[in-house]
Amino acid sequence: MKLKHIEAFHAVMVAGSVSGAARLLNVTQPAVTTTLQHAEMQLGFPLFKRKKHRLIPTREARELYPEIEKLFGQLETVRRISASLSQGRSAELKILVAPSLAVQALPEALKAFRKRHARTQISIRTLHSRDIAQAIALREADIGFIYGSQPHPSLEESIIAEGHLVCVSQNELDKTSALDEIDITDLSNQSVIRLYERDPIGSVLSDLCSRQGIRFSGGMTVQTYHTALTLAEHGFGIAIVDNFTASGATTPSLNILRLTPQVRIPITALTNLADENSTTLQQVMIDSFAEALLRLTGRSQKSR
């Protein structure tokens, strides 16, 4: 299929009619009809059936459409970047971030970044750490911010902050000392909200519990720290989260204690080693993110 075939097919699928597609493409209806006919001749099968003045997608068209939609989305990205460059604006900066880091740290970082690069186009997606590493390796984005480490020969890792695990709960927690700490053994046989074991940090916590013979009673397993924090704020039990996530708690009465033995949580910025473009933008964003995490750490210490 040629590009004009893809555009006409996509427009008809979106609009549901030739007349609607013509309006979307700013061309005449006969032009759309002719383009579709040429596409069908080239493909060797019909894309639409005509029924009562309506176009009904064939089975082949329905199978093609998801891939056409992906391709059309990429074409729109190319057009958007080209328009930005032609108008003297910076190219789009694509950022991937772990969901919990997008709640507090990312907005703080973007405020600082915008002061220096107000006109830069920014694209943001939230993914889990393994998926972010894979996407950066495939050069689907410029920067990734993750928990822990995801070694890969194509990636450069920069630790920009280091946190630790804490326990948060609506109920009073027994402290092991005057330092606002709680030993993980004190959580044995309690209902605990924690990350699932496939998560890098969840795996470390699971290994720690296994070595110390600790078993939780019931509780919940979740995919993100922010989900765990929210459930704890609603009184569903004790949640084990990182201190950066805990700094975003909205419930003043929430109890927050450092977990011992200490489990260190590195926050890592990922870039592709082969990417030589927009290095200044990337570094400014990385620095802004590191400063945001530092501010969050200081804020959580003051609130305790």
Side-chain angles (χ1 to χ4, degrees):
M1 295 179 73
K2 296 181 179 180
L3 179 57
K4 63 180 180 179
H5 298 158
I6 292 171
E7 289 180 323
F9 173 66
H10 183 268
V12 173
M13 290 294 285
V14 170
S17 67
V18 170
S19 59
R23 287 193 295 271
L24 285 176
L25 298 173
N26 196 28
V27 297
T28 64
Q29 293 185 40
V32 174
T33 300
T34 301
T35 302
L36 285 177
Q37 290 172 344
H38 288 168
E40 290 174 334
M41 289 176 58
Q42 190 176 72
L43 291 169
F45 54 79
L47 292 171
F48 299 95
K49 293 179 180 178
R50 279 108 184 132
K51 187 175 181 180
K52 295 181 179 180
H53 305 292
R54 292 182 59 196
L55 291 181
I56 308 299
T58 62
R59 176 182 58 81
E60 293 86 352
R62 291 195 298 271
E63 289 187 19
L64 266 179
Y65 185 62
E67 300 306 317
I68 294 292
E69 197 170 29
K70 292 178 187 176
L71 180 57
F72 199 81
Q74 292 173 335
L75 289 172
E76 285 301 311
T77 299
V78 170
R79 290 184 179 122
R80 187 170 64 253
I81 293 174
S82 300
S84 295
L85 293 173
S86 68
Q87 294 172 21
R89 297 200 301 266
S90 300
E92 185 177 56
L93 181 66
K94 297 179 181 178
I95 302 170
L96 303 179
V97 60
S100 297
L101 294 175
V103 178
Q104 289 287 322
L106 181 62
E108 292 279 347
L110 288 173
K111 289 177 186 176
F113 181 85
R114 278 299 193 205
K115 289 179 181 178
R116 297 182 60 179
H117 297 282
R119 301 177 66 190
T120 299
Q121 300 289 314
I122 298 176
S123 169
I124 300 167
R125 291 171 58 201
T126 56
L127 295 171
H128 292 292
S129 295
R130 285 193 180 93
D131 297 327
I132 289 175
Q134 183 178 7
I136 298 296
L138 294 173
R139 304 186 72 176
E140 294 176 355
D142 302 304
I143 319 170
F145 295 102
I146 67 170
Y147 287 99
S149 175
Q150 294 288 332
H152 190 284
S154 298
L155 300 180
E156 180 175 358
E157 294 191 343
S158 303
I159 297 177
I160 59 174
E162 190 173 81
H164 54 268
L165 291 181
V166 298
C167 287
V168 296
S169 175
Q170 283 279 30
N171 301 318
E172 287 293 334
L173 297 168
D174 294 330
K175 301 179 184 180
T176 58
S177 69
L179 299 176
D180 288 340
E181 296 177 347
I182 185 170
D183 195 278
I184 195 169
T185 55
D186 295 328
L187 301 179
S188 186
N189 296 319
Q190 294 203 50
S191 178
V192 175
I193 307 165
R194 59 203 182 277
L195 259 66
Y196 73 131
E197 294 179 6
R198 288 177 56 195
D199 179 89
I201 307 304
S203 177
V204 171
L205 179 63
S206 177
D207 181 63
L208 176 63
C209 291
S210 178
R211 285 188 282 107
Q212 300 211 18
I214 298 169
R215 291 190 176 183
F216 301 123
S217 176
M220 299 181 184
T221 303
V222 298
Q223 284 193 320
T224 71
Y225 286 124
H226 184 65
T227 301
L229 173 65
T230 302
L231 291 172
E233 288 188 296
H234 282 80
F236 284 98
I238 302 167
I240 299 177
V241 302
D242 67 287
N243 60 306
F244 300 115
T245 299
S247 69
T250 58
T251 306
S253 60
L254 199 68
N255 295 285
I256 303 176
L257 299 180
R258 181 190 291 259
L259 185 68
T260 59
Q262 183 168 286
V263 178
R264 297 184 181 277
I265 309 294
I267 307 298
T268 307
L270 300 180
T271 53
N272 193 299
L273 289 170
D275 190 2
E276 298 178 356
N277 297 323
S278 303
T279 53
T280 301
L281 291 177
Q282 289 175 349
Q283 193 56 54
V284 171
M285 189 64 217
I286 290 171
D287 292 343
S288 299
F289 212 99
E291 292 166 5
L293 291 169
L294 184 62
R295 286 195 297 272
L296 289 176
T297 303
R299 193 178 303 167
S300 63
Q301 289 175 343
K302 289 179 182 179
S303 64
R304 288 172 54 182

